[in-house]
Amino acid sequence: ALEAVDKATEYSVMIEDKFQRYSIQAESKKVKGKIFYFSNLWEKAEIAFKEAESLYKSIDHTAGLAAVYNNIGVLKMFQGEWDTTEKLYLASLELEKAHYNLEGIAVCYNNLGGLADDQGDYKKSLYYFNEALVIQKLLSERYNISNCYNNIGVTYMDNGEFEKAIEAYEKSLETAISFGLFKNIIASLNNLGALYFKIGNWAKAIEYYE
């Protein structure tokens, strides 16, 4: 994969148009960052993402910058740098809003919701997840709608609001069954099992797990 990305960079120097040339070079750096990330080489990943950021900035490429801030944010979150992560996610969100990318905005809200849940900020987490859900419904992204309901359910469960968590998980399950989204069906059933396990209803937990 790294070899292929390096080839893309190599050929990009022959492109006369500066915007196109730098766009391809930045995209190559971003992909390289993802390869390092999936290889658990986080320092190398951050270097590649930062190089992509510089290239995107030089041509004022807002969509590219939004994506790369999200990527660096994920890295920082796994390193426990939550304040930096939030700033990066919010910077990404503003850029996504600037070019009206609803899909990107929803991703940012979802990431911010997950971060807030990890930080124990229940209200903020629910706000962001519900904002993501509204957009996914507008986009009719069935897979993501189901995921949003699951995320909302997790937040409610983490905060002991079990009835609301059940309602969210069941909506996720209903959406997933309606459209044959088997991965989401599994996730929803598993979450319902975990919830009933948590409240001590062993029989129902086993039923969902099975």
Side-chain angles (χ1 to χ4, degrees), residues 35-138:
I35 294 165
F36 287 135
Y37 167 75
F38 286 118
S39 306
N40 294 318
L41 299 168
W42 289 358
E43 281 183 30
K44 284 188 174 183
E46 188 170 348
I47 290 165
F49 288 142
K50 291 279 187 186
E51 287 172 348
E53 179 192 358
S54 296
L55 286 162
Y56 282 132
K57 272 185 176 175
S58 70
I59 52 172
D60 198 26
H61 196 306
T62 54
L65 276 172
V68 96
Y69 286 145
N70 225 344
N71 294 144
I72 300 169
V74 170
L75 274 178
K76 294 296 180 185
M77 188 173 75
F78 282 118
Q79 290 168 6
E81 296 181 39
W82 286 346
D83 288 342
T84 305
T85 302
E86 186 173 19
K87 284 174 187 169
L88 286 160
Y89 285 162
L90 288 170
S92 180
L93 178 62
E94 287 309 304
L95 289 166
E96 296 290 19
K97 285 180 176 179
H99 66 278
Y100 308 104
N101 180 15
L102 289 178
E103 193 177 335
I105 293 167
V107 167
C108 291
Y109 278 138
N110 193 62
N111 287 345
L112 283 160
L115 177 66
D117 188 39
D118 285 346
Q119 292 174 303
D121 194 329
Y122 168 61
K123 286 183 179 175
K124 195 188 273 189
S125 178
L126 283 174
Y127 166 76
Y128 284 131
F129 282 142
N130 277 296
E131 287 294 303
L133 178 60
V134 168
I135 294 170
Q136 298 296 2
K137 283 181 175 178
L138 280 172

Side-chain angles (χ1 to χ4, degrees), residues 140-210:
S140 297
E141 289 284 354
R142 298 154 183 175
Y143 178 83
N144 291 330
I145 290 167
S146 179
N147 274 345
C148 283
Y149 278 126
N150 258 331
N151 290 335
I152 290 165
V154 169
T155 304
Y156 277 130
M157 188 169 77
D158 285 347
N159 287 275
E161 294 206 39
F162 298 130
E163 289 305 316
K164 287 180 178 178
I166 289 168
E167 191 182 330
Y169 288 150
E170 285 179 346
K171 281 181 180 175
S172 175
L173 182 61
E174 185 186 319
T175 306
I177 290 170
S178 297
F179 299 105
L181 307 169
F182 294 107
K183 283 185 180 179
N184 292 59
I185 292 169
I186 293 165
S188 302
L189 291 170
N190 194 55
N191 284 341
L192 282 160
L195 190 147
Y196 282 106
F197 175 82
K198 200 165 188 174
I199 61 178
N201 190 335
W202 318 122
K204 212 158 190 179
I206 289 167
E207 185 186 325
Y208 279 115
Y209 284 144
E210 284 181 342

